[in-house]
Amino acid sequence: MADQATRWSGRVSLTPRILAVNAIALLMLAGGFFYLDTFRSRILDEREAQSAREARLMAEALGAVAPDARAALLGRLAADTGTRLRLYDRAGTKVADSVAQGVANFRLVDPTTDGWGQRSARWLDAIIDIVVGARRAPLYRDRSDAARWPDLRAVAGGAVQSTTIWRAPDRTPVVTAAAALSSGERLLSAVNARDVTERVRVERFRLSVVLIVVAAISLALSLFLARTIVNPLRRLARAAVRVRLGRAREVVVPRLPDRRDEIGMLARALSDMSLALRARIDATEAFAADVTHELKNPLASLRSAADALERVENPDQRAQLLAIVSDDVRRLDRLISDISDASRLDAQLARATFEAVDVGDMLAAQVAARAARGIPRGVRLRLDRRADEPLVVLGEGARLERVFANLIDNAVSFSPADGTVSIAARRSDDDLEVRVEDEGPGVPEEARESIFRRFHSVRPSAEAFGEHSGLGLAIARTIVEGHQGEISVEPREDRLQGARFVVRLPLADARRIEE
């Protein structure tokens, strides 16, 4: 469902999508133009009710005076109210007209004489009326026959008053109202309410100004937002494509250090990822070169011995050459096994499921097993730990067991005859600390980091040549770091000769183990 919901957006760039989202708000604001039609209808309803009230009051005033004084009062009322007033008798004959008395306050504008501004306004009025479906009022025409006025006919039919809204030639409203006098005559008023149209147009103009300003600001902010989002994403995408094409060494992924938002976080994450990828590629290439170099030595020795076997007939020399061949084969087998383990170690640790492992019990079992098998040259193993203190970490037991096995093997190989290898395990704050100390020649300070490199092996004597691949400490560091720990070489505190390897691993939280 999530893929279907965003399927349409996958075909549209971010810039038009940002603009479209902001345009929706502008369209909602533009809907205020159509609200103005409701505003106009409400004003016209109020004006229609006002004309009806005025017609009724003026009819009552005219009915209260003598018939010969009605014409003069009609003129004064027309001048005061701004309307055209006409008085009809019972038969529908016009007996008085404010225009005939010189009150020229009702004049319809000829639209053909208007300028382009008024014509544009009328054109906009017509478009909005069509869009909102406004009711089109009948066209107003000045009629002399009273029978043709719907207001007068309604009053003659028994209504007290009647009103009608007309449309002037210039699309302004004309409001007519009729009311009956007490003596039976009928009064007709007409007013061209151009002020209603002007008010609507003024409000429309104000809304247009607001809409234009808001649209300009929204467009500028949208473009700014698109620029600050789209442009960095495009730079990151181009860099990612170049990395994918195999140009990782020459690609510099922008880190955008000034960006503290999600784009900056993404840029720095991609940059770190590309650097890690570059480092992994470099490590892989260096590892391949080291493997090639390490394999050449036993292969060269093996080839030399095999070539010599064809020419040597002395049984003792042939036996010596066969022993060399056997040693080289074992060396190759051990080297290939260690290389295979080292190459798969990172991937295996990434997929491993960590469980609670008691390192104290593990070390005790290793020491006991080695003592039972026998240790060469009379080297002794001594384990120092509190039996009642659990030393539990979260990890893969087989891998951690190999770490300590490599360290113990390394210490035994460097220890002199009848020497002692001390193994101590204890708590240190929230970490487990395991120390493996020997009485060998020790590790020079300048070499304490290089000994963890792959294929770095410095044996104490020629007898040990070929028995170690130089990958043991490198594998141990990879495993320890895969368990969020660290391994290092430190000087012995007792100032005795020898090396001390220290492994620190985070202790397991008891609550996490129970879960």
Side-chain angles (χ1 to χ4, degrees), residues 202-513:
V202 167
E203 295 299 327
R204 186 181 298 149
F205 174 76
R206 293 174 179 172
L207 182 60
S208 300
V209 172
V210 172
L211 182 61
I212 292 174
V213 173
V214 172
I217 296 176
S218 178
L219 179 61
L221 292 178
S222 299
L223 294 177
F224 171 77
L225 185 63
R227 180 177 180 182
T228 56
I229 293 178
V230 176
N231 289 353
L233 289 180
R234 286 176 178 170
R235 291 175 60 190
L236 295 175
R238 285 194 294 265
V241 170
R242 296 184 67 187
V243 171
R244 179 179 62 83
L245 295 177
R247 303 173 184 173
R249 293 186 179 276
E250 60 187 63
V251 176
V252 178
V253 178
R255 294 185 63 85
L256 305 179
D258 296 334
R259 297 289 295 261
R260 300 300 178 187
D261 55 2
E262 289 78 3
I263 299 295
M265 294 172 59
L266 175 62
R268 289 183 285 277
L270 287 177
S271 178
D272 294 339
M273 183 183 67
S274 66
L275 293 176
L277 177 61
R278 186 180 305 172
R280 182 63 62 86
I281 293 174
D282 292 342
T284 302
E285 293 177 353
F287 182 66
D290 293 339
V291 167
T292 303
H293 176 73
E294 293 296 324
L295 289 177
K296 281 185 177 180
N297 292 332
L299 285 175
S301 175
L302 185 62
R303 182 174 58 186
S304 177
D307 292 342
L309 277 173
E310 297 178 357
R311 300 189 299 269
V312 174
E313 297 181 357
N314 189 322
D316 294 336
Q317 293 180 345
R318 292 179 66 88
Q320 185 178 2
L321 291 174
L322 288 174
I324 294 175
V325 169
S326 178
D327 289 341
D328 288 338
V329 170
R330 286 197 301 272
R331 181 182 175 190
L332 280 173
D333 179 66
R334 183 166 49 253
L335 187 61
I336 291 173
S337 298
D338 289 343
I339 290 172
S340 177
D341 290 342
S343 63
R344 297 196 306 265
L345 193 55
D346 288 337
Q348 291 174 347
L349 285 175
R351 296 191 299 266
T353 301
F354 288 177
E355 298 177 349
V357 178
D358 193 325
V359 176
D361 293 343
M362 178 189 296
L363 293 173
Q366 285 196 12
V367 170
R370 287 174 182 272
R373 292 196 306 266
I375 304 174
R377 304 191 315 280
V379 177
R380 298 181 299 276
L381 297 180
R382 185 181 67 192
L383 176 62
D384 181 14
R385 77 174 184 105
R386 291 178 56 181
D388 59 343
E389 183 180 38
L391 302 174
V392 181
V393 300
L394 288 178
E396 191 176 9
R399 297 296 179 185
L400 292 176
E401 187 174 358
R402 180 166 186 179
V403 170
F404 301 117
N406 287 352
L407 293 179
I408 295 174
D409 287 342
N410 185 73
V412 169
S413 66
F414 279 96
S415 292
D418 298 325
T420 300
V421 174
S422 299
I423 306 165
R426 64 185 182 88
R427 287 174 174 265
S428 177
D429 296 331
D430 294 332
D431 294 333
L432 163 67
E433 185 177 280
V434 178
R435 297 180 178 183
V436 179
E437 298 177 344
D438 60 56
E439 297 176 351
V443 180
E445 184 176 356
E446 64 275 7
R448 288 176 183 172
E449 184 63 28
S450 61
I451 60 174
F452 291 102
R453 292 203 300 261
R454 289 166 174 168
F455 303 110
H456 184 92
S457 178
V458 179
R459 294 289 108 191
S461 65
E463 296 178 357
F465 178 76
E467 296 182 3
H468 299 271
S469 64
L471 290 172
L473 292 180
I475 291 175
R477 167 169 277 189
T478 302
I479 295 174
V480 171
E481 291 180 349
H483 287 74
Q484 310 301 318
E486 59 180 19
I487 181 172
S488 60
V489 181
E490 298 178 356
R492 294 186 58 160
E493 296 174 351
D494 51 14
R495 298 185 180 180
L496 296 177
Q497 184 179 4
R500 170 192 289 172
F501 286 83
V502 181
V503 176
R504 293 182 177 87
L505 294 170
L507 287 169
D509 187 352
R511 290 174 298 179
R512 186 177 175 185
I513 295 176

Side-chain angles (χ1 to χ4, degrees), residues 155-204:
V155 172
V160 177
Q161 59 191 30
S162 177
T163 58
T164 303
I165 296 179
W166 307 80
R167 173 174 52 88
D170 61 347
R171 300 188 64 84
T172 57
V174 176
V175 182
T176 61
L181 278 67
S182 57
S183 58
E185 290 88 347
R186 287 164 292 172
L187 176 67
L188 178 65
S189 67
V191 59
N192 186 195
R194 278 196 293 269
D195 60 309
V196 174
T197 301
E198 292 299 328
R199 286 183 61 183
V200 173
R201 290 176 179 175
V202 167
E203 295 299 327
R204 186 181 298 149

